[in-house]
Amino acid sequence: MTSTPDVPRGTFTHESVSEVSAASIPRQPFATSSPLLEAVTTAINLKSGQLRLPKPGRPRVLCVANQKGGVGKTTTTVNIAAALAYGGLRVLVIDLDPQGNASTAFSVPHHAGSMGSYEVVVDQTPIADVVQDTSIPGLLCVAATLDLAGAETELVSAVAREQRLRKAVQTYLELCAAAGEPLDYVLIDCPPSLGLLTVNALTCAEQVLLPIQCEFYALEGVSQLLKIVDLVGRELNPGLVVGHILLTMYDSRTRLSQQVAEDVRTHFGAKVITEAVPRSVRVSEAPSFGQTVVDYDPGSSGSRAYIEAARELAERLAAQ
Ligand SMILES: Nc1ncnc2c1ncn2[C@@H]1O[C@H](COP(=O)(O)OP(=O)(O)O)[C@@H](O)[C@H]1O
Ligand SMILES: [Mg+2]
């Protein structure tokens, strides 16, 4: 029997191979690209600074919100931010979740007694006084400490309680521009609730980036978020929209994941970012090393998906 190297192993039984002559097997063109090759190329481009993303015409403030916990808000915030920064953009992440998971992912100090987003929203401390560098060039972070858990109740009686973050961010953006180091992106990681912290983020942002987990009950609560976005858009922050939706924890092997992705794309159309982030162990491992997956394993499928999503986001926003 002649060898047929381009027949995938395991596809044919011995019997069926003997029935198929080599000439009748359609020859595939030589593979110039494979997922692995692409992943390695993306990783090399990212780390060597060859991935250049377009600058938006003005600083863009996005909040990553969904009141459901565990849908990938923090993972999306830190990885999109990292990819944008590696793409040559200047990015500020504001961790607005008392759990401080984004601060952990960037390894920035957020122990009791350190300054962060609590001081910004409650004490009106300027962002310039609390902002920290991360290990990623061009990426800054305002950390969240556990104190932030008390902010919801402390803000209730505060003056202009919904506007605290907006004012602080505006001042900081002006400061950066005046110093000749303008920011390109501010990403705000919201807590899993629709309380005053999320309302502060929605009042501050120009657009919402909404992560939707490709699981059962994925759309539960999304209509409630859309109502709040609408309300904040009417009362506090005209023009606020859900600008982009990112499908997270997508598992192409399950019918359920495919169905959720299909439903979301049908319902939200062009708002949905083309790349869906796959469920991947590397993504979930990265935070325990104080890293984003983009740093921890840049060639992994999760990292690649976030880099692609960041690229699409940057291209969309540079064109708007
Ligand atoms: N694509 C993914 N693949 C595997 N695990 C993921 C993925 N995205 C997020 N996770 C994990 O799921 C959990 C919830 O994600 P997280 O980003 O913290 O959600 P949220 O901020 O919405 O609560 C975390 O443990 C995180 O590591
Ligand atoms: Mg979170």
Side-chain angles (χ1 to χ4, degrees), residues 68 71 213-220 254 256-257 260 279:
K68 269 191 85 175
V71 299
Q213 186 185 3
C214 298
E215 291 288 345
F216 201 53
Y217 294 134
L219 296 174
E220 190 190 63
T254 72
L256 178 64
S257 245
V260 171
R279 181 176 280 285

Side-chain angles (χ1 to χ4, degrees), residues 168-191:
V169 167
Q170 274 172 356
T171 305
Y172 188 63
L173 287 175
E174 285 162 18
L175 196 75
C176 291
E181 292 191 320
L183 285 176
D184 295 305
Y185 281 93
V186 178
L187 297 185
I188 308 164
D189 185 24
C190 289

Side-chain angles (χ1 to χ4, degrees), residues 68-75 101 189 249 277-280 283-284 287:
K68 269 191 85 175
V71 299
K73 287 183 291 297
T74 301
T75 308
N101 294 340
D189 185 24
M249 297 182 235
V277 179
R279 181 176 280 285
S280 130
V283 173
S284 56

Side-chain angles (χ1 to χ4, degrees), residues 17 27 82 142 235 252:
V17 168
R27 298 194 71 85
V142 172
E235 303 286 332
S252 60

Side-chain angles (χ1 to χ4, degrees), residues 62-279:
L62 307 181
C63 82
V64 183
N66 184 332
Q67 78 274 31
K68 269 191 85 175
V71 299
K73 287 183 291 297
T74 301
T75 308
T76 295
T77 306
V78 301
N79 286 294
I80 295 275
L84 291 172
Y86 278 123
L89 304 177
R90 284 183 55 78
V91 184
L92 168 68
V93 168
I94 301 177
D95 188 350
L96 213 57
D97 184 348
Q99 293 181 63
N101 294 340
S103 312
T104 304
F106 290 132
S107 273
V108 295
H110 58 110
H111 49 80
S114 58
M115 304 245 281
S117 50
Y118 172 87
E119 283 72 20
V120 173
V121 291
V122 175
D123 301 336
Q124 296 182 278
T125 303
I127 288 178
D129 292 358
V130 304
V131 74
Q132 305 189 52
D133 281 323
T134 68
S135 58
I136 301 172
L139 179 47
L140 304 164
C141 179
V142 172
T145 57
L146 269 178
D147 290 342
L148 197 58
E152 294 274 1
T153 43
E154 286 173 63
L155 280 174
V156 169
S157 56
V159 177
R161 57 190 186 177
E162 300 95 353
Q163 312 276 353
R164 296 290 179 96
L165 191 63
R166 181 190 182 95
K167 285 187 181 142
V169 167
Q170 274 172 356
T171 305
Y172 188 63
L173 287 175
E174 285 162 18
L175 196 75
C176 291
E181 292 191 320
L183 285 176
D184 295 305
Y185 281 93
V186 178
L187 297 185
I188 308 164
D189 185 24
C190 289
S193 66
L194 291 174
L196 272 171
L197 287 173
T198 297
V199 170
N200 259 273
L202 293 173
T203 307
C204 176
E206 167 197 351
Q207 298 186 349
V208 177
L209 166 57
L210 169 65
I212 295 184
Q213 186 185 3
C214 298
E215 291 288 345
F216 201 53
Y217 294 134
L219 296 174
E220 190 190 63
V222 167
S223 58
Q224 206 186 347
L225 177 78
L226 297 180
K227 272 189 206 147
I228 297 274
V229 168
D230 202 46
L231 188 70
V232 172
R234 267 183 287 129
E235 303 286 332
L236 296 161
N237 183 13
L240 177 70
V241 285
V242 173
H244 321 273
I245 292 170
L246 182 63
L247 294 163
T248 63
M249 297 182 235
Y250 178 72
D251 186 344
S252 60
R253 295 164 306 177
T254 72
R255 183 82 198 100
L256 178 64
S257 245
Q258 291 171 16
Q259 191 61 53
V260 171
E262 220 175 284
D263 290 352
V264 171
R265 289 193 196 279
T266 306
H267 193 78
F268 292 102
K271 284 185 194 268
V272 187
I273 291 176
T274 312
E275 192 77 23
V277 179
R279 181 176 280 285

